[in-house]
Amino acid sequence: MFLPFAAGYYLSYLFRTINTLIAGRLTSDLGLGAADIGLLTSIYFLIVMAVQIPIGMCLDRFGPRRVQSTLLGVAAAGAALFGLSTGILSLLVGRAMIGLGTAAALMSGLKIIVLWFPRERMALLNGFMIMLGSLGAVTATAPAEVLLDGIGWRGLFEALAAVTALAGILIYLVVPERSTGALPSTKPATLKTICSDARFWRIAPLSATCIGSAWALQSLWAAPWLDDVERLDRTSLVDELFAMALTLSLSALLLGLLANWMRRRGKTTEALFAVVAVMLIGAELVLILHPPWLSLLPWYAVSVAASATALTYAIIGDYFPTELVARANGALNVLQFGWAFIVQYGTGLILEQWPLQAGHYPLIAYQIAFGVNVLLQLATLVCFAVPWFGGLKGRVGPLVARQGTGRWSSDEVIVPAAEVVILETDEDKAW
């Protein structure tokens, strides 16, 4: 049950990140510019975003086995078309078909986890799923470079088409069915249930701007940055992309283990996700400031943030019943993939506002593009942390007032503290 869906997610991650490796070849073979490459790569995220809600509904109704096996057939056809393309239009159509065909890869895997495994293990298993899937990003670096040297980007996509079709057949033949059951009639399974939940809208913007940005940067703009700003040669660049992808895979497992450890001790994973968001913003600020040393460490931090779905999907799984989990994850993915599209395409548009200098875009172009992104991430981080600020104020306020009177006793300290605990619990329930 688990491994066939992990294979499907592996292929989706490979397709998502392969363009950062072949962008130079597409530019030289077909004469594409930065905006063309940005649009071609980001159309994947746009299509995935557009179909997340209907796919979530199909997963809840028809089950992951039938949905995923069918869609992987579409992805295989898209990969075949991409490999045969001679212009931007056919490339866009092929890439869009790949996006549609792999749009359910992660959600179907998460649905399998919800159906077959206990909830207290969801964060850990999500981490395993994302770790195995993100090995596709590892494959899309040095291993794929070897294949590119041997069979070219066209031959690579024809091979991927065959493997993807085989994965779809495997899922259909091997994975058993399991009914999700039905929600009680007093709580209909509608999208309104998700969109009206304040907890969802607290975490979704931060998740979108951070995880979506990390996806967009790692799957496309990391390579141009290392080429234009750091001036790495091709071998060094591919090696760094490989290290970033390996960091992504290992950090997914690590975050899953940390989340599982926290949940077993009765703690939520929201704080851990906030730490990852702060780390990503700090890494992007380092890239923007560009100190006089190689920017490899910040790019590794971006890779860690790209794996934080191991946390957010587990958090969403705690918010909603089993019958709504796929739709809730789909709604979250709409925002994450939508933001990834905006960052990938928007970065390309911003870069083209500056002329090439000896075949490279200047540092200031990247600084402007990344700076706009960081400002929006900071805004969503503040919104996410507002309830914590309120809880801290509730703890500190009564104690400060007591301190100002100069009268301290055990009763005067203990009673207000107990009152604060009650207020905090009510606040948490509201969220």
Side-chain angles (χ1 to χ4, degrees), residues 304-330:
V304 174
S307 69
T309 47
L311 304 177
T312 56
Y313 292 136
I315 294 170
I316 289 294
D318 286 337
Y319 290 167
F320 300 99
T322 301
E323 298 82 358
L324 277 177
V325 166
R327 257 168 282 194
N329 285 331

